[in-house]
């Protein structure tokens, strides 16, 4: 029985239960046929919305490189993972953080994955190339581990993962706890020992059953948060709360015109950094790679998983704006070099290549210390693609 048949059966049972109650005089002979028609129209409308949502999702993922995850709820992340699994053709998945997601660009078509997709299509015109952007703002090695683990055995031709050294200094283990449930079952790891507290559902058993067996098969409900982002730029409830403070924010995608959004996407040298960068609060590279460092633990785990599952993985060092870092004494050069060497050695020992683009992008193409503007993403995409072909990681 497929998903739609299950939903129709469940709704039919609810209808029969309602209309089969004995001992009631509330329903007249004329009332019952009318409600049958209402039920049919309601069911037809629900099915139509289901079909429309499925068509919209299919259309948006026809060129997945330009699609980025706008939220971190389980259904949204799982949709990207499922699209990778269902896709045929030559599949490339790009994992990582906000650098991959495209923090400093307005359009998904200006992200690094989108430009890599364009480069690959030009060089592989006879292949059905699909590049997926699985970058998550705040995505550290812990998040990447769970996503990579969920995609093991999914037929991906190449994974690309950006190493951002700053994440090894993060104190909390996980910013996106939904990734631990991507497999649909409790993860085998001892998550509390790794500093991860599982989310607890506030649904009753009946609500949980109804959600699992009915609502989660109806795509407008399952992807309601994602649809809100596609229609409004953020969930409608949040927009209404924001509009109470500023009525202009009720308009779709009004956040794109906020001063802080515009400021974020300007070139770094057009901004005032005084008071925003303080070396006393932590400098790039100043951390220890030991068993107490949970991000280091997960980095080693993802390398082990990739090796054990024979996952084709290429890593690259994220470009950095060293001019800005050094101007405000925000980098500990000796510590950075030492830790970078340890990270690279771990990848090399596991049998995975690392491409170093740490100083490869002209500084005018940054919006801050690490996030690239559209032209920077385009330059980096070209460099990565050339190296993938020249070093034999992609065969023509």
């Amino acid at each position: 029985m497929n998903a739609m048949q299950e939903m129709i059966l469940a709704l039919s049972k609810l209808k029969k239960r309602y209309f089969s109650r004995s001992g009631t005089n509330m329903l007249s002979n004329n009332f019952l046929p009318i409600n049958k028609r209402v039920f049919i129209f309601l069911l037809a409308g629900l099915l139509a919305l289901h079909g429309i949502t499925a068509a919209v999702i299919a259309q948006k993922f026809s060129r997945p490189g330009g699609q980025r995850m706008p939220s971190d709820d389980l259904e949204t992340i799982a949709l990207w993972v499922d699209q990778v699994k269902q896709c045929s053709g030559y599949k490339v998945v790009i994992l990582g953080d906000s650098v991959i997601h495209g923090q400093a660009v307005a359009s998904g078509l200006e992200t690094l994955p989108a430009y890599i997709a364009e480069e690959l299509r030009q060089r592989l015109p006879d292949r059905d190339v699909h590049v997926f952007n699985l970058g998550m703002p705040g995505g550290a090695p812990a998040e990447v581990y769970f996503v990579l683990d969920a995609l093991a055995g999914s037929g991906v031709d190449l994974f690309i993962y950006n190493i951002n050294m700053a994440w090894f200094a993060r104190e909390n283990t996980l910013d996106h706890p939904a990734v631990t449930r991507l497999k649909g079952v409790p993860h085998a790891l001892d998550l509390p020992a790794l500093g991860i507290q599982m989310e607890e559902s506030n649904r009753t058993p009946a609500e949980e059953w109804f959600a699992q067996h009915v609502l989660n098969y109806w795509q407008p409900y399952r992807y309601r948060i994602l649809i809100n982002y596609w229609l409004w730029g953020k969930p409608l409830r949040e927009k209404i709360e924001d509009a109470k403070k500023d009525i202009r924010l009720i308009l779709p995608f009004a956040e794109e015109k906020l001063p802080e959004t515009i400021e974020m996407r300007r070139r770094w040298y057009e901004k005032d950094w005084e008071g925003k960068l303080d070396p006393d609060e932590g400098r790039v590279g100043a951390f220890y790679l030991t068993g107490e460092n949970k991000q280091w633990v997960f980095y080693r785990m993802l390398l082990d998983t990739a090796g054990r599952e024979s996952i084709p993985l290429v890593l690259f060092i994220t470009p950095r704006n060293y001019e800005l870092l050094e101007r405000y004494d925000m980098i500990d050069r000796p510590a950075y070099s030492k830790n970078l060497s340890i990270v690279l050695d771990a990848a090399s020992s596991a049998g995975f290549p690392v491409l170093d683009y740490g100083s490869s992008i002209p500084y005018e193409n940054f919006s801050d210390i690490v996030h690239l503007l559209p032209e920077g993403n385009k330059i980096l995409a070209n460099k990565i693609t050339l190296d993938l072909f020249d070093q034999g990681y992609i065969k023509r």
Side-chain angles (χ1 to χ4, degrees):
M1 183 180 296
N2 61 33
M4 289 309 304
Q5 288 173 329
E6 286 194 21
M7 186 174 77
I8 292 170
L9 181 60
L11 289 172
S12 298
K13 288 180 179 178
L14 290 175
K15 171 182 175 290
K16 288 178 181 178
R17 183 180 299 175
Y18 178 75
F19 286 115
S20 63
R21 291 176 181 171
S22 60
T24 178
N25 296 320
M26 295 179 63
L27 301 177
S28 66
N29 292 333
N30 292 330
F31 186 72
L32 184 57
I34 292 175
N35 278 269
K36 284 183 178 178
R37 290 195 293 270
V38 169
F39 176 78
I40 291 171
F41 282 125
L42 175 61
L43 183 59
L46 294 175
L47 293 176
L49 283 174
H50 179 91
I52 291 170
T53 303
V56 170
I57 289 174
Q59 187 276 328
K60 284 184 173 291
F61 281 94
S62 62
R63 289 291 180 92
Q67 295 298 321
R68 47 187 173 179
M69 291 184 285
S71 62
D72 67 349
D73 63 289
L74 177 61
E75 286 78 11
T76 298
I77 302 173
L79 173 61
W80 261 252
V81 170
D82 289 342
Q83 290 295 318
V84 173
K85 292 179 177 179
Q86 296 167 15
C87 180
S88 58
Y90 189 83
K91 299 190 289 190
V92 177
V93 173
I94 307 183
L95 304 164
D97 54 19
S98 54
V99 173
I100 303 301
H101 181 266
Q103 186 75 20
V105 302
S107 169
L109 297 175
E110 297 173 325
T111 61
L112 179 63
Y115 285 125
I116 289 177
E118 185 180 324
E119 294 271 354
L120 290 178
R121 282 193 293 268
Q122 291 176 1
R123 290 171 168 78
L124 300 171
D126 297 329
R127 293 194 199 176
D128 185 19
V129 176
H130 298 273
V131 177
F132 291 86
N133 182 346
L134 267 71
M136 304 174 67
E143 279 85 0
V144 173
Y145 165 80
F146 287 106
V147 176
L148 186 71
D149 185 49
L151 286 170
S154 58
V156 174
D157 294 278
L158 182 65
F159 286 91
I160 303 173
Y161 169 42
N162 80 303
I163 298 176
N164 187 338
M165 295 294 287
W167 291 123
F168 292 104
R170 192 171 83 175
E171 294 183 3
N172 60 310
T173 304
L174 208 62
D175 277 355
H176 306 281
V179 297
T180 62
R181 295 181 287 150
L182 283 174
K183 286 189 171 181
V185 295
H187 207 279
L189 296 176
D190 183 359
L191 298 180
L194 292 167
I196 300 172
Q197 298 301 318
M198 293 297 295
E199 293 181 323
E200 295 184 3
S201 174
N202 57 4
R203 292 172 175 168
T204 66
E207 290 172 335
E208 190 67 37
W209 183 93
F210 190 70
Q212 291 295 324
H213 293 85
V214 180
L215 292 180
N216 280 351
Y217 290 111
W218 190 51
Q219 294 201 32
Y221 173 83
R222 185 176 184 183
Y223 302 122
R224 62 198 181 279
I225 297 177
L226 175 62
I227 292 169
N228 268 259
Y229 275 100
W230 281 348
L231 292 176
W232 297 93
K234 67 189 310 184
L236 189 56
R237 179 182 297 179
E238 293 181 23
K239 288 192 71 69
I240 292 174
E241 290 299 318
D242 292 343
K244 291 178 181 178
K245 304 172 186 175
D246 186 342
I247 192 60
R248 295 172 299 177
L249 296 179
I250 196 62
L251 296 174
F253 300 97
E255 294 80 13
E256 294 293 308
K257 299 179 182 179
L258 290 175
E260 54 265 34
T261 303
I262 296 173
E263 174 76 3
M264 179 178 64
R265 293 170 181 161
R266 291 170 58 201
R267 299 184 187 278
W268 69 274
Y269 52 78
E270 297 173 348
K271 304 175 184 179
D272 181 11
W273 294 99
E274 291 297 333
K276 298 177 181 178
L277 297 177
D278 184 359
D280 292 334
E281 295 182 1
R283 299 159 76 198
V284 176
F287 50 80
Y288 295 97
L289 298 176
T290 67
E292 299 299 316
N293 186 324
K294 296 299 189 292
Q295 299 307 324
W296 173 243
V297 171
F298 271 104
Y299 176 72
R300 298 297 300 268
M301 286 170 56
L302 74 87
L303 292 176
D304 290 343
T305 298
R308 184 176 62 253
E309 299 290 340
S310 300
I311 292 174
L313 174 66
V314 173
L315 302 92
F316 74 90
I317 302 299
T318 303
R320 288 195 170 276
N321 185 350
Y322 289 106
E323 185 169 332
L324 177 56
L325 285 170
E326 291 173 351
R327 180 177 298 182
Y328 290 90
D329 191 26
M330 285 299 297
I331 184 168
D332 184 336
R333 279 284 191 177
Y336 183 86
S337 297
K338 177 183 177 182
N339 285 324
L340 178 59
S341 178
I342 295 172
V343 169
L344 296 181
D345 286 345
S348 178
S349 298
F352 298 108
V354 182
L355 307 174
D356 189 355
Y357 303 112
S359 303
S360 66
I361 305 299
Y363 298 140
E364 63 267 20
N365 293 304
F366 286 85
S367 69
D368 53 24
I369 291 173
V370 74
H371 295 108
L372 294 171
L373 296 167
E375 184 58 33
N377 282 327
K378 191 171 185 178
I379 294 170
L380 181 58
N382 178 260
K383 290 179 178 293
I384 291 174
T385 307
L386 286 175
D387 285 340
L388 291 174
F389 280 98
D390 291 346
Q391 299 185 34
Y393 304 124
I394 295 180
K395 307 293 185 182
R396 293 186 184 274

